[in-house]
Amino acid sequence: MKPTKITKFFLKSSVSDSVHQPKENDHNNIKHDVQTENVDVDGCDNVNKHVPETYESNDISLFSNLNRSLTDAEKILVFRTHAKCEYHLKSVIDAESFLNIFEKKEIPLIQQIDNERAKQVQENRKRLIPIIQCVILCGREEIPLRGHRDFGSFNIEDEQSNEGNFRAILKHRAKGDDYLKSTTDVSNVEQLSLCIRYVDNNDMLNEDFLQFFAIHSLTGSHLATSILIGLSDCGVNSEFMYGQGYDGASNMAGQFKGVQKIIRDKYPNALYVHCSAHSLNLAVSSSSNIKPIRNSLNFISIEWKDSSSTDANMFLKCIQDSEFLVSLYVTKVLFSYGLPVCKQLQKERIDLKKTVDIVENLIQSLMNVREDAENEFKRIIDEAHTMAELIGTSISRKRITSKQINRANPHNLKFVNHKNVLRGFECLFHSEFSDEDRNEFQRLIELYSPAIDRHNVLAELKIWKLKLASSNNEITKTGIEAFLNCDKEIYPNIKLLLKIFVTLPVSTATPERSFSSLKRLKTHLRNTMNETRLNGLSLLSVHRDIDLSVEEVVDEFGSDTVSGN
């Protein structure tokens, strides 16, 4: 077979190299016999070589640069000597490799190495994926990970050792997974739950848990510093903090040294809103100060233990007491009004306007009950009589002194803080614009200036009120509805004010729910868990609606491993 042009090019180059890089006295060391064509070369013992079949007689022209005095036979002998040189053999191999790669008969060496590395990477990822899936499962189901031993290799067949839930699930998974088979506060620490309420780029209101962090002091200054550091660690810019919500504890809500005061001194725009759910709870607690109501609630909350006949007789006497039965049905009526409100206040997508409206409706309903007290109380007494007959007793009226004519009625001023916060924003939700509204709105503009353009916002407000009048205020039943119906292009300042309003905290239900997860995650058997693991498991448990990609976890794990973290 005649060689191709590319083959000739490499052969010619090799021959040229032999001419320009001759060994010392090459020609003097060659002896030849033209008849037998045997060649003796220094270092070789009478090696009989023939011209390769791929080189025909017309290929002798390739050696035109050789000495003209040599015969063709001598030139062939020179070539045969050159063909045995190391650099010639290497060039031939390179040429063959080049041709194979050029004609796509072979894969380049670098690509072969990369392919092997890619295969190893894929194998490693397949080994990590089931492990990560087990961690996600335990985190979302709030299953403790740690056991007596949670490190080192384990025996898949060993079902006696207690190595923790995670390793047990991993063993069970490994029995049907070839990749796994080869894969060698309860602690009395105060925890602070950090949650944020925000509007995303799609104008959707969100309220999310961020993290727990340990608290070593319960003073207002330490708590405020911890909150600000926690926000910074999570990448949240506190300059955009427009609201803060806590319960009514003095170290949180104090007017002089409370957390809300310290934070607002640094960030004046961060209005403090008392948790509305706690306000409702405090209102109920104040009502419970009436002795009969308090006694009945305390009795209901007692955990029954079948200890002795004396305790049983005491409980029976309490149940048969007329005052207890009447108080029980009064509490039932009042709680039937408060339960729907309590559920509404625990929702994430609720704003301050809707909260105040719901509470005012509740107060009005209870006032209507009081105005029709005779009929309402008659129904309560009838139900109490029916229950008394079932348990074998009767309702009797207790004696009162001549001076004690009326029962105690506590005076409650809850939700005043919420109305005060709403007052400046209230003019955004109706078409009227009184002088009082103007003054409150001016104070609101001063508070949020320079984020709000004070020169244009009044004109925007008047145009916005015309829109409200044309819609009969139907688009502003809640703050969220008003925010969604406000066009940013036409009312940029009004849109920003409504955005601030809907992000003001309504309740601390989200932090309370995170504390419920904390109790399930940090048990007595896991009381030494550090904050990093606690936050990781808490995020898996709380944000279980987020689709977590195992591939992304593997990528993150790989990047941390490369960086040495």
Side-chain angles (χ1 to χ4, degrees), residues 1-17 53-65 79 82 88 91-92 94-96 98-99 103:
M1 182 178 109
K2 196 166 184 174
T4 62
K5 292 182 179 180
I6 298 178
T7 306
K8 287 184 177 181
F9 168 77
F10 275 93
L11 292 175
K12 188 171 182 180
S13 299
S14 299
V15 172
S16 177
D17 289 340
E53 294 181 359
T54 55
Y55 299 101
E56 300 178 358
S57 59
N58 60 353
D59 290 324
I60 300 300
S61 60
L62 292 173
F63 307 101
S64 58
N65 292 330
F79 168 71
H82 167 77
H88 170 79
S91 298
V92 172
D94 291 343
E96 293 176 351
F98 173 81
L99 288 175
E103 296 173 357

Side-chain angles (χ1 to χ4, degrees), residues 451-505:
I452 301 299
D453 185 358
R454 65 177 65 188
H455 303 291
N456 299 326
V457 66
L458 284 175
E460 286 184 23
L461 180 62
K462 292 179 180 179
I463 301 174
W464 171 249
K465 285 187 173 295
L466 291 176
K467 181 177 181 178
L468 298 183
S470 63
S471 64
N472 295 323
N473 298 325
E474 289 295 323
I475 63 174
T476 57
K477 291 182 178 179
T478 67
I480 297 176
E481 288 183 7
F483 172 71
L484 294 177
N485 285 286
C486 183
D487 192 337
K488 184 178 180 180
E489 300 296 329
I490 304 175
Y491 319 100
N493 293 290
I494 302 299
K495 182 79 171 181
L496 179 56
L497 287 173
L498 290 172
K499 188 175 184 178
I500 293 172
F501 178 75
V502 298
T503 55
L504 292 176

Side-chain angles (χ1 to χ4, degrees), residues 3 20 33 53 164 192 261 339 353 400 428 461 565:
H20 291 87
D33 184 341
E53 294 181 359
L192 183 66
K261 173 62 175 176
L339 182 61
K353 182 178 186 303
I400 59 176
L428 300 176
L461 180 62
N565 294 332

Side-chain angles (χ1 to χ4, degrees), residues 7-64:
T7 306
K8 287 184 177 181
F9 168 77
F10 275 93
L11 292 175
K12 188 171 182 180
S13 299
S14 299
V15 172
S16 177
D17 289 340
S18 67
V19 174
H20 291 87
Q21 302 177 17
K23 292 185 178 180
E24 186 178 358
N25 300 324
D26 270 347
H27 297 292
N28 296 330
N29 294 333
I30 298 176
K31 300 177 182 178
H32 66 277
D33 184 341
V34 178
Q35 292 182 351
T36 61
E37 295 186 355
N38 290 333
V39 181
D40 292 336
V41 183
D42 287 352
C44 300
D45 297 332
N46 193 27
V47 179
N48 184 9
K49 290 290 181 182
H50 299 281
V51 179
E53 294 181 359
T54 55
Y55 299 101
E56 300 178 358
S57 59
N58 60 353
D59 290 324
I60 300 300
S61 60
L62 292 173
F63 307 101
S64 58

Side-chain angles (χ1 to χ4, degrees), residues 383-534:
E383 291 180 351
H385 276 294
T386 303
M387 177 58 66
E389 292 176 1
L390 291 176
I391 61 177
T393 187
S394 60
I395 301 296
S396 59
R397 186 172 182 176
K398 289 191 174 184
R399 294 178 300 170
I400 59 176
T401 64
S402 57
K403 292 183 179 180
Q404 186 181 357
I405 300 174
N406 298 315
R407 295 290 191 266
N409 290 315
H411 185 62
N412 205 335
L413 294 176
K414 304 301 178 184
F415 296 97
V416 174
N417 170 262
H418 301 81
K419 293 181 180 179
N420 291 337
V421 174
L422 178 62
R423 187 173 297 147
F425 294 93
E426 201 165 10
C427 63
L428 300 176
F429 301 103
H430 55 76
S431 55
E432 296 81 12
F433 194 39
S434 63
D435 292 338
E436 183 180 358
D437 290 338
R438 181 185 293 273
N439 295 333
E440 294 292 341
F441 190 67
Q442 286 288 354
R443 283 193 284 269
L444 190 69
I445 296 173
E446 293 294 332
L447 175 63
Y448 294 117
S449 180
I452 301 299
D453 185 358
R454 65 177 65 188
H455 303 291
N456 299 326
V457 66
L458 284 175
E460 286 184 23
L461 180 62
K462 292 179 180 179
I463 301 174
W464 171 249
K465 285 187 173 295
L466 291 176
K467 181 177 181 178
L468 298 183
S470 63
S471 64
N472 295 323
N473 298 325
E474 289 295 323
I475 63 174
T476 57
K477 291 182 178 179
T478 67
I480 297 176
E481 288 183 7
F483 172 71
L484 294 177
N485 285 286
C486 183
D487 192 337
K488 184 178 180 180
E489 300 296 329
I490 304 175
Y491 319 100
N493 293 290
I494 302 299
K495 182 79 171 181
L496 179 56
L497 287 173
L498 290 172
K499 188 175 184 178
I500 293 172
F501 178 75
V502 298
T503 55
L504 292 176
V506 175
S507 71
T508 58
T510 299
E512 293 293 343
R513 280 190 284 266
S514 69
F515 284 133
S516 298
S517 297
L518 175 64
K519 292 179 180 179
R520 294 189 295 268
L521 290 169
K522 196 168 184 179
T523 62
H524 288 282
L525 297 177
R526 308 164 70 192
N527 58 0
T528 58
M529 184 191 306
N530 60 27
E531 291 298 310
T532 302
R533 175 175 288 191
L534 175 62

